Amino acid sequence: AQSVTQLGSHVSVSEGALVLLRCNYSSSVPPYLFWYVQYPNQGLQLLLKYTSAATLVKGINGFEAEFKKSETSFHLTKPSAHMSDAAEYFCAVSDFNFGNEKLTFGTGTRLTIIP
Amino acid sequence: GAGVSQSPSNKVTEKGKDVELRCDPISGHTALYWYRQSLGQGLEFLIYFQGNSAPDKSGLPSDRFSAERTGGSVSTLTIQRTQQEDSAVYLCASSLRQGFGYTFGSGTRLTVV
């Protein structure tokens, strides 16, 4: 069974500082991996995805993530935090099976930006 | 439409009543998913549709939960005899193709009192 672990339910960074949100996965097959962002009272928005092409994936809003098979990690980074980045972030792994892209989500990391 | 539309956005119901939640996916998206988001359980998969059929219903918590999809488009999630533990945000998502990621709707917040 697939699983995802997000270290740190809450992360605070200063505006302009590096953002690093951690995600480790467990999968018996080569995974598809995703990061989603959720703003208050909204649905989830896809930030970026890894689907076995380039290991460094660039997404929207200046975010990127690197797939490291040896570490079973897919950490999300952004060089310089902006106030608008405050939100909850979810890492997910796809249990991809005959067209069924059921996602298993991590428990989320709430990112706070300090002015 | 331009996005995934869910209605109602908020629903308060009395314990024991039935509720219907609606999802209108992006036109042309053949895959449709329902998830539930609650404080205690996080984001949980409920059901997957490909066209009008549901090959994976493994996440439905009990037989009080059912869902259908018609015309390869609109889907309805029905909860019968609602219980307080059903209170959550129900999210619908659709996808054009595997590996593309989903587009989520804004969800229906269900409160059972």
Coordinates of all heavy atoms in Angstrom, one line a residue, chain A residues 32 34 36 38 41-46 49 51 88 90 94-107, chain B residues 31 33 35 37 42-45 48 50 55-56 58 89 91 95 97-107 109:
Chain A
Y32 N 3.8 8.1 -8.9 CA 3.5 9.4 -9.3 C 3.3 10.2 -8.0 O 2.6 9.8 -7.1 CB 2.2 9.5 -10.2 CG 2.3 9.1 -11.6 CD1 3.4 8.4 -12.1 CD2 1.3 9.3 -12.5 CE1 3.5 8.0 -13.4 CE2 1.3 9.0 -13.8 CZ 2.5 8.3 -14.3 OH 2.5 7.9 -15.6
F34 N 2.6 14.1 -6.1 CA 2.0 15.4 -6.3 C 2.1 16.3 -5.1 O 2.2 15.8 -4.0 CB 0.5 15.3 -6.6 CG 0.2 14.4 -7.8 CD1 0.1 13.0 -7.6 CD2 -0.1 14.9 -9.1 CE1 -0.1 12.1 -8.7 CE2 -0.4 14.1 -10.1 CZ -0.4 12.7 -10.0
Y36 N -0.2 19.6 -3.6 CA -1.3 20.4 -3.7 C -1.3 21.5 -2.6 O -0.8 21.3 -1.5 CB -2.6 19.6 -3.6 CG -3.0 18.8 -4.8 CD1 -2.5 17.5 -4.9 CD2 -3.9 19.2 -5.7 CE1 -2.8 16.7 -6.0 CE2 -4.2 18.5 -6.8 CZ -3.7 17.2 -7.0 OH -4.0 16.4 -8.1
Q38 N -3.9 24.3 -0.5 CA -5.2 24.6 -0.1 C -5.3 25.9 0.6 O -4.7 26.0 1.7 CB -5.9 23.5 0.7 CG -7.4 23.7 0.9 CD -8.0 22.5 1.7 OE1 -7.4 21.9 2.5 NE2 -9.2 22.2 1.3
N41 N -11.0 27.8 3.0 CA -12.3 27.6 2.4 C -12.3 27.4 0.9 O -13.3 27.8 0.2 CB -13.2 28.8 2.8 CG -13.4 29.0 4.3 OD1 -13.6 28.0 5.0 ND2 -13.1 30.2 4.8
Q42 N -11.2 26.8 0.4 CA -11.2 26.5 -1.0 C -10.8 25.0 -1.2 O -10.4 24.4 -0.2 CB -10.1 27.4 -1.7 CG -10.5 28.9 -1.7 CD -9.5 29.7 -2.6 OE1 -8.9 29.2 -3.5 NE2 -9.4 30.9 -2.2
G43 N -10.9 24.6 -2.4 CA -10.5 23.2 -2.7 C -9.0 23.2 -2.9 O -8.3 24.2 -2.6
L44 N -8.5 22.1 -3.3 CA -7.0 21.9 -3.5 C -6.6 22.3 -4.9 O -7.3 22.0 -5.9 CB -6.6 20.5 -3.2 CG -6.5 20.0 -1.8 CD1 -7.9 19.8 -1.2 CD2 -5.7 18.8 -1.6
Q45 N -5.5 22.9 -5.0 CA -4.9 23.3 -6.3 C -3.6 22.6 -6.5 O -2.8 22.6 -5.7 CB -4.7 24.9 -6.3 CG -4.2 25.4 -7.6 CD -4.0 26.9 -7.5 OE1 -4.1 27.5 -6.5 NE2 -3.6 27.5 -8.7
L46 N -3.5 22.1 -7.7 CA -2.2 21.4 -8.1 C -1.1 22.3 -8.2 O -1.1 23.3 -9.0 CB -2.4 20.6 -9.4 CG -1.2 19.8 -9.9 CD1 -0.9 18.7 -8.9 CD2 -1.5 19.3 -11.3
K49 N 3.8 18.1 -10.2 CA 3.6 16.7 -10.2 C 4.9 16.1 -10.8 O 5.6 16.6 -11.6 CB 2.5 16.2 -11.1 CG 2.5 16.7 -12.5 CD 1.2 16.2 -13.2 CE 1.3 16.6 -14.7 NZ 1.2 18.0 -15.0
T51 N 6.0 12.5 -12.7 CA 5.5 11.4 -13.3 C 6.5 10.6 -14.1 O 6.3 10.2 -15.2 CB 4.3 11.8 -14.3 OG1 4.8 12.8 -15.2 CG2 3.2 12.4 -13.5
E88 N -2.2 25.7 3.4 CA -1.9 24.3 3.8 C -1.4 23.6 2.5 O -2.0 23.7 1.5 CB -3.1 23.6 4.4 CG -2.7 22.3 5.0 CD -3.5 22.0 6.3 OE1 -4.6 22.5 6.4 OE2 -3.1 21.1 7.1
F90 N -0.3 19.8 0.8 CA -0.5 18.4 0.9 C 0.4 17.7 -0.2 O 0.3 18.0 -1.3 CB -1.9 18.0 0.7 CG -2.9 18.5 1.7 CD1 -3.5 19.7 1.6 CD2 -3.1 17.7 2.8 CE1 -4.4 20.2 2.6 CE2 -4.0 18.1 3.8 CZ -4.6 19.4 3.7
S94 N 0.2 8.6 -6.0 CA -0.9 8.0 -6.8 C -0.8 6.5 -6.8 O 0.3 6.0 -7.1 CB -0.8 8.5 -8.2 OG -1.7 7.8 -9.0
D95 N -1.9 5.9 -6.5 CA -2.0 4.5 -6.6 C -2.6 4.2 -7.9 O -3.8 3.8 -8.1 CB -3.0 4.0 -5.5 CG -3.1 2.5 -5.4 OD1 -2.4 1.8 -6.1 OD2 -3.9 2.0 -4.6
F96 N -1.8 4.3 -8.9 CA -2.2 4.3 -10.3 C -2.4 2.9 -10.8 O -1.5 2.1 -10.8 CB -1.0 5.1 -10.9 CG -0.7 4.9 -12.3 CD1 -0.6 6.0 -13.1 CD2 -0.2 3.7 -12.8 CE1 -0.2 5.9 -14.4 CE2 0.2 3.6 -14.1 CZ 0.2 4.7 -14.9
N97 N -3.6 2.6 -11.2 CA -3.9 1.3 -11.5 C -5.1 1.3 -12.5 O -6.2 1.6 -12.2 CB -4.4 0.6 -10.2 CG -4.8 -0.8 -10.4 OD1 -4.4 -1.5 -11.4 ND2 -5.5 -1.4 -9.5
F98 N -4.7 0.9 -13.8 CA -5.7 0.8 -14.8 C -6.6 2.1 -14.9 O -7.8 2.0 -15.0 CB -6.6 -0.4 -14.6 CG -5.8 -1.7 -14.7 CD1 -5.5 -2.4 -13.5 CD2 -5.4 -2.2 -15.9 CE1 -4.8 -3.6 -13.6 CE2 -4.6 -3.4 -15.9 CZ -4.3 -4.1 -14.8
G99 N -5.9 3.2 -14.9 CA -6.7 4.4 -15.1 C -7.2 5.1 -13.8 O -7.5 6.2 -13.8
N100 N -7.1 4.3 -12.7 CA -7.6 4.8 -11.5 C -6.4 5.5 -10.8 O -5.5 4.9 -10.4 CB -8.1 3.7 -10.6 CG -8.6 4.1 -9.2 OD1 -8.5 5.3 -8.9 ND2 -9.0 3.2 -8.4
E101 N -6.5 6.8 -10.7 CA -5.4 7.6 -10.1 C -5.8 8.0 -8.7 O -5.7 9.2 -8.3 CB -5.1 8.8 -11.0 CG -3.8 9.4 -10.8 CD -3.4 10.4 -11.8 OE1 -4.3 11.2 -12.2 OE2 -2.3 10.5 -12.3
K102 N -6.3 7.1 -7.9 CA -6.6 7.4 -6.5 C -5.4 7.9 -5.8 O -4.3 7.4 -5.9 CB -7.1 6.1 -5.9 CG -7.4 6.2 -4.4 CD -8.1 4.9 -3.9 CE -7.2 3.7 -4.0 NZ -7.9 2.5 -3.5
L103 N -5.6 9.0 -5.0 CA -4.5 9.6 -4.3 C -4.5 9.2 -2.8 O -5.6 9.2 -2.2 CB -4.5 11.1 -4.5 CG -4.2 11.7 -5.9 CD1 -4.4 13.2 -5.9 CD2 -2.9 11.3 -6.4
T104 N -3.3 9.0 -2.3 CA -3.2 8.9 -0.9 C -2.4 10.1 -0.4 O -1.3 10.4 -0.9 CB -2.4 7.6 -0.5 OG1 -3.1 6.5 -0.9 CG2 -2.2 7.6 1.0
F105 N -3.1 10.9 0.5 CA -2.5 12.2 0.9 C -1.8 12.1 2.2 O -2.1 11.3 3.1 CB -3.7 13.2 1.1 CG -4.2 13.7 -0.2 CD1 -5.3 13.1 -0.8 CD2 -3.7 14.9 -0.8 CE1 -5.9 13.6 -2.0 CE2 -4.3 15.4 -2.0 CZ -5.3 14.7 -2.6
G106 N -0.8 13.0 2.4 CA -0.2 13.2 3.7 C -1.2 14.0 4.5 O -2.2 14.4 4.1
T107 N -0.8 14.2 5.8 CA -1.7 14.9 6.7 C -1.6 16.4 6.6 O -2.3 17.1 7.3 CB -1.3 14.5 8.2 OG1 0.1 14.7 8.3 CG2 -1.7 13.0 8.4
Chain B
A31 N -12.6 11.1 -15.9 CA -12.4 10.5 -14.5 C -12.9 11.5 -13.5 O -12.7 12.7 -13.6 CB -10.9 10.3 -14.3
Y33 N -13.6 11.9 -9.1 CA -13.2 11.3 -7.8 C -14.0 12.1 -6.7 O -14.2 13.3 -6.8 CB -11.7 11.5 -7.5 CG -10.8 10.8 -8.5 CD1 -10.5 11.4 -9.7 CD2 -10.3 9.5 -8.2 CE1 -9.7 10.7 -10.6 CE2 -9.4 8.9 -9.1 CZ -9.2 9.5 -10.4 OH -8.4 8.9 -11.3
Y35 N -13.6 12.8 -2.5 CA -12.8 12.7 -1.3 C -13.6 13.4 -0.2 O -14.5 14.2 -0.4 CB -11.5 13.4 -1.5 CG -10.5 12.7 -2.3 CD1 -10.6 12.7 -3.7 CD2 -9.5 11.9 -1.8 CE1 -9.7 12.0 -4.5 CE2 -8.6 11.2 -2.6 CZ -8.7 11.3 -3.9 OH -7.8 10.6 -4.7
Q37 N -12.8 15.4 3.6 CA -11.7 16.0 4.4 C -12.3 16.3 5.7 O -13.3 17.1 5.9 CB -11.2 17.3 3.7 CG -10.1 17.9 4.4 CD -9.5 19.1 3.6 OE1 -10.2 19.8 2.8 NE2 -8.2 19.4 3.8
G42 N -8.2 13.6 8.0 CA -7.5 14.2 6.8 C -8.3 14.0 5.6 O -9.5 13.9 5.6
L43 N -7.6 13.8 4.5 CA -8.2 13.6 3.2 C -8.3 12.2 2.8 O -7.3 11.4 2.7 CB -7.3 14.3 2.1 CG -7.6 15.8 1.9 CD1 -6.3 16.5 1.4 CD2 -8.7 16.0 1.0
E44 N -9.6 11.7 2.7 CA -9.8 10.3 2.4 C -10.5 10.1 1.1 O -11.5 10.8 0.8 CB -10.7 9.7 3.5 CG -10.4 9.9 4.9 CD -11.5 9.4 5.8 OE1 -12.4 10.2 6.0 OE2 -11.5 8.2 6.2
F45 N -10.0 9.2 0.3 CA -10.6 8.8 -1.0 C -12.0 8.1 -0.7 O -12.1 7.3 0.2 CB -9.7 7.8 -1.7 CG -10.4 7.1 -2.8 CD1 -10.5 7.7 -4.1 CD2 -10.8 5.8 -2.7 CE1 -11.1 7.0 -5.1 CE2 -11.4 5.1 -3.7 CZ -11.5 5.7 -5.0
Y48 N -14.2 6.4 -7.2 CA -13.7 6.8 -8.5 C -14.6 6.4 -9.6 O -15.1 5.3 -9.6 CB -12.3 6.2 -8.7 CG -11.9 6.0 -10.1 CD1 -11.6 7.0 -10.9 CD2 -11.7 4.7 -10.6 CE1 -11.2 6.8 -12.2 CE2 -11.2 4.5 -11.9 CZ -11.0 5.5 -12.7 OH -10.5 5.4 -14.0
Q50 N -15.1 6.3 -13.8 CA -14.6 6.4 -15.2 C -15.8 6.4 -16.1 O -16.5 5.3 -16.2 CB -13.6 5.3 -15.5 CG -13.0 5.4 -16.9 CD -12.2 6.7 -17.1 OE1 -12.5 7.5 -18.0 NE2 -11.2 6.9 -16.3
P55 N -15.5 1.8 -10.9 CA -14.7 0.6 -10.7 C -14.0 0.6 -9.3 O -13.6 -0.5 -8.9 CB -13.5 0.7 -11.8 CG -13.7 2.0 -12.4 CD -14.9 2.7 -11.9
D56 N -14.0 1.7 -8.6 CA -13.4 1.7 -7.3 C -14.3 2.4 -6.3 O -14.4 3.6 -6.3 CB -12.0 2.3 -7.3 CG -11.2 2.1 -6.0 OD1 -11.8 1.6 -5.0 OD2 -10.0 2.4 -6.0
S58 N -14.0 1.6 -3.0 CA -13.4 1.0 -1.8 C -13.4 2.0 -0.6 O -13.3 1.6 0.5 CB -12.0 0.5 -2.1 OG -11.2 1.6 -2.5
V89 N -15.9 18.1 5.0 CA -16.0 18.8 3.7 C -15.8 17.7 2.6 O -14.9 16.9 2.7 CB -14.8 19.8 3.5 CG1 -14.9 20.4 2.1 CG2 -15.0 20.9 4.5
L91 N -15.1 16.8 -1.1 CA -14.5 17.4 -2.3 C -14.6 16.5 -3.5 O -14.5 15.3 -3.4 CB -13.0 17.6 -2.0 CG -12.6 18.6 -1.0 CD1 -11.2 18.4 -0.5 CD2 -12.8 20.0 -1.5
S95 N -10.4 14.7 -13.8 CA -9.1 14.6 -14.4 C -9.3 14.2 -15.9 O -10.2 13.3 -16.2 CB -8.3 13.5 -13.7 OG -7.1 13.3 -14.4
R97 N -6.7 13.0 -17.8 CA -5.9 11.9 -18.2 C -5.0 11.6 -17.0 O -4.6 12.4 -16.3 CB -5.0 12.2 -19.4 CG -4.3 11.1 -20.1 CD -3.5 11.6 -21.3 NE -4.4 12.3 -22.2 CZ -3.9 13.1 -23.2 NH1 -2.6 13.3 -23.3 NH2 -4.7 13.7 -24.0
Q98 N -4.6 10.3 -16.9 CA -3.7 9.8 -15.9 C -2.4 10.6 -15.9 O -1.8 10.7 -17.0 CB -3.5 8.3 -16.0 CG -3.1 7.6 -14.8 CD -3.5 6.2 -14.9 OE1 -3.5 5.6 -16.0 NE2 -3.7 5.5 -13.8
G99 N -1.9 11.0 -14.7 CA -0.7 11.7 -14.7 C -0.8 13.2 -14.8 O 0.2 13.9 -14.6
F100 N -1.9 13.7 -15.1 CA -2.1 15.1 -15.2 C -2.4 15.8 -13.9 O -2.4 17.0 -13.8 CB -3.2 15.4 -16.2 CG -2.8 15.5 -17.7 CD1 -1.8 14.6 -18.2 CD2 -3.3 16.4 -18.5 CE1 -1.4 14.7 -19.5 CE2 -2.9 16.5 -19.8 CZ -1.9 15.6 -20.3
G101 N -2.8 15.0 -12.9 CA -3.3 15.6 -11.7 C -4.8 16.0 -11.8 O -5.3 16.0 -12.9
Y102 N -5.4 16.3 -10.7 CA -6.8 16.6 -10.7 C -7.0 18.1 -10.6 O -6.2 18.9 -10.2 CB -7.4 16.1 -9.3 CG -7.3 14.7 -8.9 CD1 -7.6 14.4 -7.6 CD2 -7.0 13.7 -9.8 CE1 -7.6 13.2 -7.1 CE2 -7.0 12.4 -9.3 CZ -7.3 12.1 -8.0 OH -7.2 10.9 -7.5
T103 N -8.3 18.5 -11.0 CA -8.8 19.8 -10.7 C -9.9 19.6 -9.6 O -10.8 18.8 -9.9 CB -9.4 20.5 -11.9 OG1 -8.3 20.6 -12.9 CG2 -9.9 21.9 -11.5
F104 N -9.7 20.2 -8.5 CA -10.7 20.0 -7.4 C -11.8 21.1 -7.4 O -11.5 22.2 -7.8 CB -10.0 20.1 -6.0 CG -9.4 18.8 -5.6 CD1 -8.1 18.5 -5.9 CD2 -10.1 17.9 -4.8 CE1 -7.5 17.3 -5.5 CE2 -9.5 16.7 -4.4 CZ -8.2 16.5 -4.7
G105 N -13.0 20.8 -7.0 CA -14.0 21.8 -6.7 C -13.7 22.4 -5.3 O -12.8 22.0 -4.6
S106 N -14.5 23.4 -5.0 CA -14.3 24.1 -3.7 C -14.9 23.3 -2.5 O -14.7 23.7 -1.4 CB -14.9 25.5 -3.7 OG -14.3 26.2 -4.7
G107 N -15.7 22.3 -2.8 CA -16.2 21.4 -1.7 C -17.5 21.8 -1.2 O -18.0 22.9 -1.4
R109 N -19.4 21.8 2.5 CA -19.2 21.6 3.9 C -20.5 21.1 4.5 O -21.5 21.8 4.5 CB -18.8 22.9 4.6 CG -18.5 22.8 6.1 CD -18.0 24.1 6.7 NE -16.7 24.5 6.1 CZ -15.5 24.0 6.5 NH1 -15.5 23.1 7.5 NH2 -14.4 24.4 5.9

